[in-house]
Amino acid sequence: MSASTTAMTSSTSAYTTGGFWERLWLMSGINFVAFVIIAYVIYGYQPQVGASADALVAFYHGDRTRILIAAVFAGLTVLNLLWFAAALRTTLADAGQDGWGAALTASSAAFGGLFLLLITVGAALAYSIAGSGNHTLTSGLNDLAWACVVLTSFPRAMLIMAGTFGLWRAGLISNALFAAGVAAVVLVLLGGTTWLSGGFWAPDGAYSRFVSPIIGLVWVVVVSRVLARSPATRAAW
């Protein structure tokens, strides 16, 4: 086979087309959900706000290897979140909704930054801080992590809003899905009000820990399916 024929075969390979890369990055939403679940299962049940020194040391220092492994999967979560947002931004831009796409980029960056801060705090506590004997610092950082969980509600709500409104304006989702997306925005945004001292509506309560994150994950799965049905004919990749 001549060199020119070989080059032509390589250039027309399915792996060099924009469609292949677009489908690959559109899968990042599903990867994001998978890595979130894996990281959460490995990480375990983080001590609540105001937990005792013994409970904090037992969790962060006693299970330090497990927490550091979870940090790796959590980092992959952030990576796939940003790729998912980039793929959705491209879809919105091609549909003439680049304003919503820009909002999507900003909100995903803010959410990713707060998520990385959460990962950093947990990893630092497990790596050395919890075992140093400074219980005041350990307790303060554990409470800071829960406060960050609450504050992530705002960029998460903006992310859902930008994606939902952009896809609806582009005619890629139905009115029913749009209404469900608006409801998801409101429910996630309510997570930013969970400042009670204990119970269901606390920073470490069931709403912040389970309800609000699950709503966001379901939204990502639904949007990923919507994007997978869109034609992969763009050259943005």
Side-chain angles (χ1 to χ4, degrees):
M1 182 180 293
S2 65
S4 60
T5 304
T6 303
M8 182 178 298
T9 302
S10 176
S11 64
T12 58
S13 170
Y15 302 105
T16 63
T17 63
F20 168 79
W21 291 103
E22 182 175 9
R23 285 188 293 269
L24 179 65
W25 300 132
L26 290 179
M27 291 175 57
S28 297
I30 302 299
N31 295 340
F32 165 75
V33 173
F35 282 123
V36 165
I37 295 173
I38 293 172
Y40 184 83
V41 170
I42 296 175
Y43 188 78
Y45 194 84
Q46 180 176 324
Q48 295 179 305
V49 174
S52 66
D54 290 340
L56 293 172
V57 172
F59 178 77
Y60 287 111
H61 185 64
D63 295 325
R64 66 189 303 268
T65 300
R66 186 184 68 189
I67 293 174
L68 293 174
I69 292 174
V72 175
F73 285 98
L76 293 173
T77 294
V78 176
L79 177 66
N80 280 278
L81 167 68
L82 298 180
W83 273 119
F84 168 73
L88 181 53
R89 160 69 187 270
T90 302
T91 300
L92 295 179
D94 288 339
Q97 302 298 323
D98 202 24
W100 291 110
L104 186 84
T105 300
S107 57
S108 65
F111 177 39
L114 278 174
F115 202 175
L116 281 175
L117 177 60
L118 276 170
I119 299 169
T120 302
V121 170
L125 284 167
Y127 186 72
S128 62
I129 295 175
S132 66
N134 192 333
H135 301 313
T136 301
L137 178 60
T138 301
S139 178
L141 289 176
N142 182 69
D143 293 353
L144 173 65
W146 283 116
C148 287
V149 169
V150 175
L151 292 177
T152 60
S153 300
F154 298 102
R156 282 188 288 129
M158 182 179 176
L159 176 67
I160 296 173
M161 179 181 179
T164 299
F165 276 76
L167 291 172
W168 179 65
R169 293 278 294 165
L172 295 176
I173 60 174
S174 63
N175 289 337
L177 277 181
F178 171 73
V182 172
V185 172
V186 174
L187 292 174
V188 171
L189 196 58
L190 284 174
T193 67
T194 53
W195 292 112
L196 294 183
S197 58
F200 180 79
W201 209 258
D204 53 5
Y207 196 90
S208 290
R209 187 188 291 268
F210 299 113
V211 178
S212 182
I214 288 174
I215 292 172
L217 294 180
V218 171
W219 180 83
V220 171
V221 171
V222 172
V223 171
S224 295
R225 291 179 61 85
V226 171
L227 295 181
R229 294 198 300 266
S230 63
T233 58
R234 294 176 290 274
W237 306 105

